[in-house]
Amino acid sequence: MSQLSTRHLLGIKNITQEDVELILQTAANFKEVINRPIKKVPSLRDITIANIFFENSTRTRLSFELAEKRLSADVVNFSSSNSSVKKGETLVDTVNNILSMKVDMVVMRHSSPGAPHFLSRNVKANIVNAGDGTHEHPTQALLDAFSIQEKLGDVAGKKVAIIGDILHSRVALSNIFCLQKLGAEVMVCGPITLLPKHIESLGVKVELDVRKALQWCDVANVLRIQLERQQIKYFPSLREYSLYYGINRKMLEELDKEIVIMHPGPINRGVELSSDVADSEHAIILEQVQNGVAVRMAVLYLLAGAKG
């Protein structure tokens, strides 16, 4: 199979295992390309891509923009903070205005869950979800799976613990779907107030003790506390959270095996991870960032070739 089963990347839930494997295989080829002295390929030379971000972003936006430029696409950047959205323009009108300028593909981040799905039904362009509220963040899950595969050889059979603010995290949901499609076992771990109700119905293990989670797993994917999404207090203080759920060097040294530490960023040092863990040989956090460019190149390249 050399083509995706879909025109859009809206979420991991919507794509097949074959789609995930194809994206990871293609990403491996592009990883080799971006490590060459000349990093550009002309694959998307006639394609125009609009990056439409209704929420703040550093890594994801830069990563997509770099991926697009490495593929020789023309890139248009849009930020809602200085746009007609502030004047009351609807999402569909905003995007249709951009598409009328002959844009082929839209990469969108939005605070409302389901916004990319809504858009895909109302506009003609290919849509890539760069994060929709607390719902999904598919390219992050794909780059995390690619990073595990690169580090450990395979994802199938591996035990992955996702630790932290599961309730408000779009990364957690996409990771659960992606890792399960690739044959990994998944555990979620955090304070009970930060775990969604009925999360075990997704086929994941649930653990409240971070030390037990670390002992169980091969890979710990640690999420930050998303204070900007929390309308009420879910725990007494960041200091208390750090005491019970923060991961430090001593905890890793007490394990009877070596594990891999991942983090989607941005890291709140001293809260979910201490600096001596984030900067240690266990962590592959910067490799994740580099792999993000290769994975997003693969997604854009494959979607550009998908038939509608």
Side-chain angles (χ1 to χ4, degrees), residues 5 11 31-32 38 43 51 93 98 103 147 149 163 181 189 193 242 248 250 267 285:
S5 65
K31 177 85 185 271
E32 189 259 317
I38 298 169
S43 308
N51 297 318
D93 283 342
I98 293 167
V103 168
S147 301
Q149 197 175 68
I163 300 169
K181 277 180 164 63
C189 174
T193 51
S242 179
N248 57 46
K250 185 169 177 285
I267 305 170
I285 297 165

Side-chain angles (χ1 to χ4, degrees), residues 13-143:
K13 190 176 183 179
N14 306 84
I15 62 175
T16 65
Q17 180 187 338
E18 289 74 25
D19 288 333
V20 173
E21 287 169 352
L22 176 60
I23 291 167
L24 299 188
Q25 285 164 16
T26 310
N29 296 332
F30 282 127
K31 177 85 185 271
E32 189 259 317
V33 168
I34 62 175
N35 283 310
R36 292 180 194 163
I38 298 169
K39 299 171 176 64
K40 256 190 166 182
V41 288
S43 308
L44 299 187
R45 195 162 45 195
D46 299 324
I47 302 288
T48 304
I49 303 173
N51 297 318
I52 304 179
F53 280 66
F54 292 88
E55 276 191 323
N56 294 336
S57 172
T58 305
R59 267 159 311 282
T60 303
R61 186 170 185 159
L62 283 176
S63 184
F64 267 112
E65 192 173 340
L66 200 53
E68 291 150 8
K69 289 178 175 176
R70 293 275 188 261
L71 292 165
S72 305
D74 294 316
V75 181
V76 180
N77 284 314
F78 168 95
S79 171
S80 65
S81 59
N82 48 13
S83 74
S84 292
V85 171
K86 292 283 183 191
K87 302 172 188 173
E89 188 172 60
T90 68
L91 175 61
V92 172
D93 283 342
T94 298
V95 175
N96 273 327
N97 274 293
I98 293 167
L99 295 183
S100 68
M101 302 173 206
K102 304 303 175 196
V103 168
D104 305 290
M105 201 179 292
V106 172
V107 174
M108 186 174 80
R109 170 169 287 187
H110 201 283
S111 58
S112 299
H117 303 70
F118 171 74
L119 203 59
S120 70
R121 292 191 293 270
N122 288 279
V123 302
K124 289 197 172 83
N126 305 86
I127 308 294
V128 181
N129 180 4
D132 59 330
T134 56
H135 181 226
E136 278 218 52
H137 191 353
T139 55
Q140 182 68 47
L142 290 163
L143 76 88

Side-chain angles (χ1 to χ4, degrees), residues 131-173:
D132 59 330
T134 56
H135 181 226
E136 278 218 52
H137 191 353
T139 55
Q140 182 68 47
L142 290 163
L143 76 88
D144 288 346
F146 184 81
S147 301
I148 293 170
Q149 197 175 68
E150 192 177 60
K151 179 74 176 176
L152 300 179
D154 199 4
V155 179
K158 299 297 181 288
K159 295 177 176 178
V160 182
I162 303 172
I163 300 169
D165 185 356
I166 312 295
L167 184 64
H168 299 96
S169 174
R170 52 186 165 219
V171 174
L173 193 58

Side-chain angles (χ1 to χ4, degrees), residues 210-226:
V210 71
R211 284 178 168 79
K212 288 181 182 173
L214 293 174
Q215 186 59 55
W216 175 85
C217 72
D218 302 306
V219 179
N221 197 348
V222 187
L223 309 177
R224 72 184 175 90
I225 296 298
Q226 306 217 6

